[in-house]
Structures are given as structure tokens and as C-alpha cells.
Amino acid sequence: MKKLVIFDLDGTLLNTIADLAGATNYALKACGYPQHDTDEYRFFVGNGINKLFERALPEAERNETNIRKIRSLFVPYYNMHNADLSRPYPAIPHVLETLQEKGMALAVASNKYQEATEKLIKHYFPQIHFLRVFGQRENVPVKPDPSVIVEIMQAAGASPQDTAYIGDSGVDMQTGINAGTETIGAAWGFRPRTELEAYHPAFIADTPEELLDFLMK
């Protein structure tokens, strides 16, 4: 069994897409830009919120000034509404509790900004003692840069061979590859299974329960 299991957040532990879409559409509408269907946001998220806003803006409006403007509206709104519709994926609480009971160290590494990452984890998983909960932080590169994974492994005293990283996107698969960990795809998340398959992870789980079968063998 692994010593350390690190999870992505959005699309892996929590289905957050409706609240992300709602907050981004709120900011876009306030600035007079077109809004998007919720499902479109599945392909906008994953690289941090500035990249989300860049993708959501009309192509001709994608500049730093407009990204900052959208962010200034998004953040306070999302801070108030990020748990309106977001929910853990079925069986995720059971999976986390089981891994914790087996003595594995658990952690979160997300490209969501730190304040929201911490709030959502505390709100939905108060019974889980995560070693580290890291979102996007100032002066720390976003995934797929492996810095956040390396930092967590150092805190756990775990080697890459002792560590599994689980996520739902190509960004996550590349992050695990860059960090040298065993990498597992979460096919229940935002991105299609084919995106995960392109990175040849050690395993692709179609349901959270399959994680237990793989991690505890």
C-alpha cells in the first residue's frame, strides 16, 4: 500500500462545476460579456482561475486587464456561493475514511485558489485529517509543475514510489508524471476518459470505489 495519497479537488473529490460556472457567469454578465452553459466549463477549468477567465472571455477580450476585472467580481461572489451546489462525488467520503483508517496520509493539491480550497475541504470533509490542503498560492507554480506535490511528499516523508496522485484531467496526469509518483485517473470527473488515457496512468478508476481496490491491493 502507498504511504501517501494526494487528491486533486475539482472533478476528483467534489463536483464543483455548477458553482464555478455560476460565479464566472455572474462576473461575465456584470461586465457585459456572453455567458456559457455549465457543461462548457468542464473544459475551462483545471489550470487555475486566471486561465478559467481567459477561456471564458470572448477571444478578442482576453487580456490581463479583463482577466483582473473578472477575477475582482468572481472571487467575492464565489467565496459566498462555492458550496451552493457543489457536492462530493458518490462514495468519496467512504473512500477517504477507509484510506485514513488504513493509516495512509492524505492530502489535497489543487489549482483552485487557496482560500476556496481550504473552505471546501473543511466544509465537506471535516472528519478527514488531511496532512496538507494546498490550492493555488502566491509564488508557487500551478500544476502541472510538480512543486506542490514535492512539497507534500517532503511533509509526509514519502518518496515518489510511496505516493499516488489522483486527478481527473490531463493536467493532473502530467503533474503526477512530473513528480514521479504513481498517477491515477478519476474518470468520473470533468474530462473525458480519453484525455486520461493519453497519459498512460498506472490506473484509471471509473468509480471512486475502484480506488480502494487498486490502492489497497
Side-chain angles (χ1 to χ4, degrees), residues 33-34 53-64 66-67:
Y33 296 124
F53 306 146
E54 178 185 321
R55 291 165 175 161
L57 282 162
E59 189 169 353
E61 302 295 328
R62 295 173 182 172
N63 57 60
E64 288 300 318
N66 289 336
I67 289 170

Side-chain angles (χ1 to χ4, degrees), residues 117-159:
T117 300
E118 290 179 349
K119 177 184 174 182
L120 288 169
I121 289 296
K122 288 177 182 176
H123 180 77
Y124 287 108
F125 307 112
Q127 77 281 19
I128 303 301
H129 306 295
F130 289 100
L131 174 71
R132 293 288 187 274
V133 174
F134 285 151
Q136 184 178 350
R137 295 167 292 154
E138 192 173 355
N139 299 321
V140 179
V142 298
K143 300 179 299 181
D145 187 284
S147 297
V148 63
I149 305 300
V150 172
E151 186 177 349
I152 294 170
M153 288 192 294
Q154 289 173 343
S159 69

Side-chain angles (χ1 to χ4, degrees), residues 10-51:
D10 300 273
T12 302
L13 295 178
L14 295 176
N15 185 349
T16 55
I17 203 68
D19 289 330
L20 286 165
T24 309
N25 280 338
Y26 164 82
L28 290 170
K29 183 179 180 180
C31 293
Y33 296 124
Q35 301 173 70
H36 302 276
D37 292 336
T38 297
D39 204 50
E40 292 181 68
Y41 282 93
R42 294 161 62 91
F43 294 92
F44 291 173
V45 300
N47 296 86
I49 59 172
N50 284 357
K51 182 60 72 171

Side-chain angles (χ1 to χ4, degrees), residues 74-165:
F74 172 96
V75 169
Y77 185 92
Y78 188 68
N79 284 345
M80 292 287 293
H81 296 281
N82 59 22
D84 287 0
L85 300 171
S86 298
R87 297 292 183 270
Y89 286 99
I92 281 292
H94 169 68
V95 168
L96 294 174
E97 289 165 7
T98 302
L99 296 177
Q100 182 171 263
E101 289 167 3
K102 294 296 181 182
M104 296 184 192
L106 304 178
V108 173
S110 174
N111 276 344
K112 183 189 290 293
Y113 63 99
Q114 182 69 22
E115 182 182 3
T117 300
E118 290 179 349
K119 177 184 174 182
L120 288 169
I121 289 296
K122 288 177 182 176
H123 180 77
Y124 287 108
F125 307 112
Q127 77 281 19
I128 303 301
H129 306 295
F130 289 100
L131 174 71
R132 293 288 187 274
V133 174
F134 285 151
Q136 184 178 350
R137 295 167 292 154
E138 192 173 355
N139 299 321
V140 179
V142 298
K143 300 179 299 181
D145 187 284
S147 297
V148 63
I149 305 300
V150 172
E151 186 177 349
I152 294 170
M153 288 192 294
Q154 289 173 343
S159 69
Q161 294 72 34
D162 293 329
T163 303
Y165 180 63

